[in-house]
């Protein structure tokens, strides 16, 4: 049965680029979806609805090893002149022999307001995460702050944003377990973090698309306690709605001394 599931997943012709959405990714969506005579990615009176589904799977069977990974992402965005809202759900599931390696799910709601000075915007986000690979049983985040579009065009976006966020975590980790840190115990905490984010999107000749995003979230009371997420991808358009894509994602959570890396290759379908 596992082999059949893995083979079906390999037939899904779309690509999962990451495990979570970054605050400000809606700016990248607007750069793709908005059609207007203005070169700015946010200056239009027309509302645009944009969706993207991505998924891939890998299956590896040898004499001694049986493993598979399934990755899925579903995103909805509504874009207007003065605001944008995006809802993203990501799920990664994997096993190696009888050991569960991934059961990582995140759901994010992102809002951008563009009613201030040109190139400035305000972002707000709410995020829920559960991750076996990062030893996170449950994690909720909510935050807001300002952002600035250094480059704000339909074919090129470069932005930075920063702001505080509140985080509640429920973890199974070994950070506080014994002198060697090898005793797993429950860790429930509440804290505030600073979230710094950098994102770029670049379209070359209408065919080649380069995307990159990264943010680091440091604990205000302990700067060495941080969340780090890095995502990057390159796509070649085959059709208006279809692209060949290669992408990589890296996540690190120092509170549980855990990290994961996901590399994917496949097709992306978007509208």
């Amino acid at each position: 049965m596992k082999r059949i599931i893995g083979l079906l997943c390999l037939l899904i012709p779309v690509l999962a680029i990451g495990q979570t959405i970054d605050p400000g990714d809606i700016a990248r969506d607007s750069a793709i979806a908005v059609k207007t005579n203005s070169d700015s990615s946010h200056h239009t009176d027309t509302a645009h609805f944009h969706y993207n589904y991505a998924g891939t799977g890998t299956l590896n069977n040898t004499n001694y090893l049986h493993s598979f990974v399934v990755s899925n992402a579903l995103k909805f965005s509504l874009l207007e002149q003065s605001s944008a809202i995006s809802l993203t759900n990501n799920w990664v599931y994997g096993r190696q022999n009888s050991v569960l390696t991934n059961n990582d799910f995140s759901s994010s709601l992102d809002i951008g307001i563009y009613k201030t000075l040109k190139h400035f915007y305000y972002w707000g986000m709410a995020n829920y995460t559960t991750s076996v690979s990062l030893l996170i049983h449950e994690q909720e985040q909510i935050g807001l702050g300002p952002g600035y579009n250094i480059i704000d065009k339909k074919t090129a976006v470069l932005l930075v944003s920063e702001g505080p966020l509140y985080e509640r975590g429920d973890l199974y980790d070994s950070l506080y377990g014994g002198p060697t840190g090898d005793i797993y115990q429950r860790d429930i905490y509440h804290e505030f973090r600073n979230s710094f984010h950098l994102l770029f999107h670049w379209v070359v000749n209408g065919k080649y698309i380069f995307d990159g995003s990264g943010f680091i979230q440091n604990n205000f009371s302990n700067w060495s306690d941080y969340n780090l997420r890095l995502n990057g991808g390159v796509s070649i358009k085959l059709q208006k709605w279809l692209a060949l894509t290669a992408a990589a994602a890296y996540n690190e959570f120092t509170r549980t001394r855990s990290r994961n890396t996901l590399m994917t290759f496949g097709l992306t379908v978007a509208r």
Side-chain angles (χ1 to χ4, degrees):
M1 185 65 183
K2 292 181 179 178
R3 296 183 181 181
I4 295 175
I5 295 174
L7 290 173
L8 288 175
C9 294
L10 288 172
L11 294 177
I12 301 175
V14 284
L15 174 70
I17 294 179
Q19 296 189 28
T20 189
I21 192 72
D22 296 335
D25 272 4
I26 45 183
R28 180 183 61 186
D29 290 340
S30 61
I32 298 173
V34 172
K35 298 178 181 178
T36 176
N37 293 328
S38 172
D39 194 33
S40 172
S41 61
H42 301 293
H43 300 160
T44 178
D45 293 328
T46 305
H48 291 265
F49 179 75
H50 178 64
Y51 67 86
N52 182 297
Y53 173 75
T56 188
T58 61
L59 176 65
N60 181 28
N61 282 325
T62 67
N63 291 338
Y64 306 102
L65 178 66
H66 307 281
S67 64
F68 71 94
V69 177
V70 179
S71 182
N72 295 276
L74 179 62
K75 180 176 182 178
F76 300 95
S77 300
L78 181 63
L79 312 168
E80 296 182 321
Q81 179 183 19
S82 59
S83 62
I85 184 169
S86 179
L87 176 64
T88 304
N89 295 281
N90 297 273
W91 180 49
V92 178
Y93 184 85
R95 282 186 174 273
Q96 183 169 309
N97 289 340
S98 59
V99 179
L100 180 68
T101 58
N102 295 86
N103 191 8
D104 309 333
F105 174 79
S106 67
S107 181
S108 298
L109 178 66
D110 298 89
I111 300 174
I113 305 296
Y114 303 91
K115 288 187 176 181
T116 58
L117 299 175
K118 187 177 181 181
H119 298 295
F120 278 93
Y121 69 95
Y122 291 102
W123 61 266
M125 61 86 73
N127 182 70
Y128 172 84
T129 300
T130 178
S131 174
V132 169
S133 64
L134 296 178
L135 300 178
I136 298 174
H137 181 248
E138 286 185 335
Q139 184 187 77
E140 297 94 27
Q141 292 181 327
I142 184 169
L144 53 84
Y148 182 78
N149 286 285
I150 300 173
I151 301 174
D152 181 19
K153 300 182 183 296
K154 289 186 288 184
T155 59
V157 172
L158 175 62
L159 65 83
V160 293
S161 65
E162 190 168 15
L165 62 83
Y166 165 77
E167 177 179 293
R168 176 196 174 273
D170 183 356
L171 314 175
Y172 291 104
D173 68 26
S174 59
L175 184 60
Y176 309 107
T180 60
D182 58 357
I183 301 175
Y184 284 77
Q185 68 179 36
R186 199 71 165 263
D187 179 17
I188 300 176
Y189 66 92
H190 305 264
E191 64 188 22
F192 289 90
R193 295 183 182 273
N194 178 72
S195 180
F196 175 79
H197 176 230
L198 175 69
L199 178 144
F200 75 85
H201 170 77
W202 185 28
V203 181
V204 180
N205 295 329
K207 183 176 181 180
Y208 305 100
I209 304 171
F210 300 87
D211 288 294
S213 178
F215 69 85
I216 184 168
Q217 298 173 338
N218 295 89
N219 189 335
F220 279 116
S221 61
N222 180 9
W223 213 247
S224 62
D225 174 9
Y226 62 83
N227 301 326
L228 175 66
R229 292 191 177 100
L230 302 172
N231 296 275
V234 179
S235 299
I236 302 175
K237 279 193 173 184
L238 305 177
Q239 299 289 336
K240 185 177 180 180
W241 51 274
L242 182 67
L244 178 65
T245 308
Y250 174 80
N251 297 276
E252 182 177 355
F253 187 35
T254 59
R255 192 178 183 99
T256 60
R257 297 183 297 185
S258 302
R259 61 182 62 88
N260 61 42
T261 302
L262 179 65
M263 300 187 68
T264 53
F265 306 88
L267 298 175
T268 298
V269 178
R271 179 183 182 278

